[in-house]
Amino acid sequence: MQTDGFGFSTLFFSLALMALAVFAGFALHKGLFRLLRQLTAKTKNRWDDALVKHLEAPARLLLPLFLLLLIVPALRLPPQGGEILGHLVGLAFIAGMTWLLVAAVFVLRDVVLHKFDVNARDNLRARTMHTQINVLVKVLLVLIIVIATASMLMTFEKVRQIGVSLLASAGIAGIILGFAAQKSLATLFAGIQIAITQPIRLDDVVIVEGEWGRIEEITLTYVVVRIWDLRRLVVPITYFIEQPFQNWTRVTADLLGTVFIYADYRIPVAAVREQLHVFLQESEHWDGKVWGLQVTNTTDRSVELRALMSAADAGIAWNLRCEVREKLLAWLQANYAECLPRVRTEIEGEFADALAAGAREHSGTAT
């Protein structure tokens, strides 16, 4: 039986040849990457491990497609079927190449960021590089996907004709799209500006909208702040360009902490200052750089003592402040309980004389 000059045997042979090409592609992929994993296991380089890790998946798609592209012209298929098959394989190959380029971007990211450990104590340079690279990677991914999508659409004849017909009105369309995308473009440029100027970096300690937290994620459109109680505050990226905020680790991670103690006027300030130094020397949270105690305010009822101390970062400073506050309070209660804040009242007149007489009688009865 014949169909348009093509027999079932010819069609079966073409399908079998395609299946053989796909099988050969998968077998080639498996053998190639098994060999590559064995070779990378013998080296100490970082880049070859990242190469095998990220390129293995797209290569599993590209190798069979490459072999299919080679044999499609030799297949004896109906003209319309051959064109459709070639078009589909071409689209899949563009998708595979897009996947490969995305994987290559991640390879470069891993190789570069491997040299910068964010978990190190002095991680300012590392956080700078992680912020810049991650934002630039997102920009590259958007560009790759846009170009790949345009390439796929251009393989359709009708899409190309529509594009040519719309070319004459590109100026008007550009103006309309410019107004429509103004906010989106401002957000995109704000993300790029954040990556370059870096008012914030990954793991920076910030106060945003009255909330204390750390920068957990920076994208092209928003920033995720991990608050101290594990809530997440999602803030538009433009906020950090247009609004004021506090960055406690902009230049360095170390920080000064304060503890306020309110006591009676009779408090021996020198003794409290000496005891503060003892507590700081005993603490594992104090970095040994800065300390001090001063009377910073007085009221009609008490004096305000401010203890100043330094720590390596904001989290350690918080623990140090809590520790010193508890120890100073316990020390004052044990040694100078009479110097804790109190309210004084002066009573005059007959009522005062009655109270004094009562006190004398009570004292005489006690003796």
Side-chain angles (χ1 to χ4, degrees):
M1 181 176 180
Q2 301 287 329
T3 304
D4 295 336
F6 291 90
F8 284 111
S9 60
T10 303
L11 181 61
F12 178 78
F13 175 77
S14 298
L15 293 177
L17 190 60
M18 292 169 56
L20 181 62
V22 172
F23 176 79
F26 283 128
L28 179 61
H29 172 272
K30 185 175 182 180
L32 177 62
F33 277 87
R34 177 181 295 177
L35 177 62
L36 290 176
R37 281 193 294 269
Q38 291 176 353
L39 294 176
T40 56
K42 298 178 181 179
T43 65
K44 297 182 179 180
N45 296 325
R46 174 71 180 181
W47 66 268
D48 53 3
D49 295 329
L51 196 67
V52 173
K53 172 185 174 183
H54 290 289
L55 298 187
E56 184 175 4
R60 187 181 291 112
L61 174 64
L62 279 174
L63 288 177
L65 286 175
F66 179 72
L67 295 181
L68 278 177
L69 283 175
L70 293 179
I71 67 169
V72 163
L75 296 177
R76 299 187 60 186
L77 296 173
Q80 187 175 5
E83 290 179 3
I84 294 176
L85 178 62
H87 193 189
L88 292 177
V89 174
L91 290 175
F93 191 76
I94 293 175
M97 289 300 298
T98 304
W99 193 1
L100 183 67
L101 289 175
V102 170
V105 170
F106 283 115
V107 170
L108 293 176
R109 183 201 65 178
D110 288 355
V111 171
V112 173
L113 295 185
H114 176 68
K115 302 176 182 179
F116 302 94
D117 185 12
V118 178
N119 296 321
R121 171 68 67 180
D122 186 9
N123 62 356
L124 181 61
R125 176 63 176 167
R127 291 187 288 110
T128 299
M129 292 303 300
H130 275 258
T131 302
Q132 289 180 333
I133 295 299
N134 285 326
V135 173
L136 292 178
V137 163
K138 291 180 175 66
V139 174
L140 287 176
L141 293 182
V142 171
L143 291 177
I144 290 173
I145 292 174
V146 169
I147 294 174
T149 303
S151 301
M152 288 183 176
L153 292 176
M154 293 300 291
T155 61
F156 295 90
E157 186 67 27
K158 293 183 178 180
V159 173
R160 286 203 300 269
Q161 292 176 356
I162 293 174
V164 172
S165 64
L166 291 177
L167 189 60
S169 58
I172 299 176
I175 294 174
I176 295 174
L177 290 175
F179 281 110
Q182 183 177 6
K183 190 68 175 179
S184 300
L185 290 175
T187 302
L188 176 62
F189 288 129
I192 297 175
Q193 185 177 353
I194 289 289
I196 297 174
T197 60
Q198 294 200 340
I200 56 171
R201 307 178 185 89
L202 291 174
D203 206 40
D204 264 350
V205 177
V206 295
I207 295 182
V208 179
E209 297 293 314
E211 299 283 1
W212 184 97
R214 292 180 178 271
I215 301 296
E216 184 176 55
E217 183 182 0
I218 301 176
T219 71
L220 291 177
T221 56
Y222 63 89
V223 175
V224 179
V225 181
R226 186 181 72 249
I227 303 174
W228 65 273
D229 57 1
L230 301 184
R231 288 178 295 146
R232 264 58 175 182
L233 182 65
V234 181
V235 185
I237 191 74
T238 52
Y239 179 93
F240 295 94
I241 302 296
E242 301 171 354
Q243 301 292 330
F245 64 95
Q246 294 186 39
N247 188 337
W248 290 10
T249 54
R250 178 68 179 87
V251 178
T252 181
D254 54 354
L255 198 68
L256 295 180
T258 56
V259 170
F260 291 94
I261 298 293
Y262 297 91
D264 189 73
Y265 272 79
R266 292 178 295 174
I267 187 74
V269 177
V272 179
R273 183 180 293 115
E274 182 180 351
Q275 192 61 37
L276 169 66
H277 195 202
V278 172
F279 289 149
L280 290 175
Q281 289 176 324
E282 295 174 350
S283 175
E284 61 180 11
H285 302 304
W286 185 47
D287 62 5
K289 294 181 179 179
V290 178
W291 77 279
L293 185 134
Q294 294 175 309
V295 178
T296 53
N297 194 17
T298 58
T299 68
D300 58 339
R301 296 183 179 181
S302 64
V303 295
E304 179 186 77
L305 306 180
R306 187 193 69 180
L308 186 67
M309 61 214 72
S310 59
D313 58 46
I316 296 177
W318 172 263
N319 293 330
L320 178 62
R321 291 170 60 197
C322 293
E323 177 187 351
V324 169
R325 188 182 294 112
E326 292 174 2
K327 289 185 176 181
L328 280 178
L329 180 60
W331 181 77
L332 288 174
Q333 290 173 342
N335 297 277
Y336 296 97
E338 72 280 2
C339 293
L340 294 176
R342 60 180 59 199
V343 178
R344 295 179 173 87
T345 302
E346 184 175 355
I347 302 174
E348 298 178 349
E350 297 179 358
F351 187 63
D353 296 337
L355 286 178
R360 286 193 296 271
E361 292 178 3
H362 179 74
S363 176
T365 303
T367 56

